[in-house]
Amino acid sequence: VSKIPPGKRRSFLDSAERHGREVPGPGAHNPTAGCSNALPTKLSRTTDWTKEAQKSKSLKVKAPEIGPNHYTINYSRAEPTAPSQTVPKEVNKNF
């Protein structure tokens, strides 16, 4: 036979009611006055184009241009070479 747990019976709506008590109501938001469905039409300062026409010093480091005498081709990895490891052919004498 199963026991009924002691305590208050809870509904699935209890958590929604508790959340509704904790968050602000629909009238709590007070937006700033003005048009909210279009861009503002008030004139603002424009950009000073005289500064745009001035040249500024670039901070980027220029990479040197590559020419035929700036690199060398190394074929040592492609050419066949003799093996660099050696293996002794005589039997070890440690027994």
Side-chain angles (χ1 to χ4, degrees):
V1 179
S2 63
K3 284 179 77 176
I4 298 175
K8 179 184 169 194
R9 295 188 66 180
R10 293 187 170 90
S11 169
F12 67 96
L13 296 176
D14 287 342
S15 62
E17 290 174 0
R18 185 184 63 217
H19 178 69
R21 285 191 301 269
E22 293 173 357
V23 297
H29 178 64
N30 295 320
T32 57
C35 191
S36 61
N37 62 351
L39 291 173
T41 57
K42 181 179 152 187
L43 291 176
S44 61
R45 286 181 41 181
T46 57
T47 305
D48 185 13
W49 292 106
T50 57
K51 292 191 176 196
E52 185 70 26
Q54 295 175 352
K55 286 284 184 182
S56 62
K57 183 179 176 184
S58 177
L59 298 176
K60 184 177 180 184
V61 177
K62 290 186 177 180
E65 292 192 23
I66 297 176
N69 59 347
H70 290 147
Y71 62 92
T72 57
I73 299 174
N74 189 357
Y75 291 106
S76 65
R77 300 287 179 199
E79 295 174 353
T81 59
S84 61
Q85 295 97 10
T86 59
V87 178
K89 293 188 177 187
E90 60 187 42
V91 180
N92 289 337
K93 300 177 182 175
N94 54 354
F95 286 107

